Amino acid sequence: LDQHAPGVQLARSVHVKSMAVQGGERTVVLTRPLKGLTQRHFTFNPKADKLDFISAQGVSLVFAKHILHDSSTVNFVSVDQPTCICRAGIQGKLNGAGFPYPGPCAGQPTGDLDFEHNPTCSVQTYSGG
């Protein structure tokens, strides 16, 4: 990635293990080593329980401003032991920016907005403005 520039194309580091289309949905299984092929490739932390990422969609194969962008998280679970599925709370976006849970309002004694159930403290009650 680069700041408002096309960046550098990296050497391929993934292997397509399988690809199938069923009911109009495509499933692709990729594999690659945890350690990045070079320092520019991402190295996965085998102890991490999540991976935050950004994505973007362009209009064509020509480098230009993207038309869609987002950020999200992939959560990893163990296949050989129980995994706690914990409630992350209600989450949403305002103007494309994440609206966290708990909300942005500080609790007492730092602030009173959350205690007073101010609508700006929750994505469920915030109506904009």
Side-chain angles (χ1 to χ4, degrees):
L1 295 175
D2 205 346
Q3 183 69 16
H4 301 290
V8 176
Q9 186 169 344
L10 300 176
R12 183 175 300 182
S13 64
V14 297
H15 169 73
V16 178
K17 189 170 184 177
S18 66
M19 185 178 347
V21 178
Q22 185 175 4
E25 189 171 294
R26 180 179 304 272
T27 301
V28 180
V29 177
L30 305 170
T31 62
R32 65 152 269 202
L34 293 174
K35 182 169 175 40
L37 189 62
T38 69
Q39 284 189 322
R40 288 185 163 264
H41 288 78
F42 185 79
T43 293
F44 291 91
N45 177 352
K47 295 181 181 179
D49 60 353
K50 67 177 185 167
L51 174 68
D52 296 324
F53 71 94
I54 59 173
S55 61
Q57 178 182 338
V59 178
S60 71
L61 295 177
V62 176
F63 176 72
K65 183 176 180 179
H66 49 264
I67 58 171
L68 298 173
H69 58 88
D70 205 353
S71 62
S72 193
T73 301
V74 174
N75 294 301
F76 301 122
V77 296
S78 298
V79 294
D80 57 353
Q81 61 187 9
T83 301
C84 176
I85 306 297
C86 304
R87 181 185 165 120
I90 305 299
Q91 297 181 358
K93 292 189 177 196
L94 297 173
N95 292 330
F99 197 101
Y101 175 87
C105 299
Q108 291 182 322
T110 306
D112 286 330
L113 293 177
D114 192 43
F115 176 77
E116 294 171 350
H117 303 289
N118 188 296
T120 62
C121 296
S122 170
V123 72
Q124 294 172 287
T125 54
Y126 182 71
S127 61

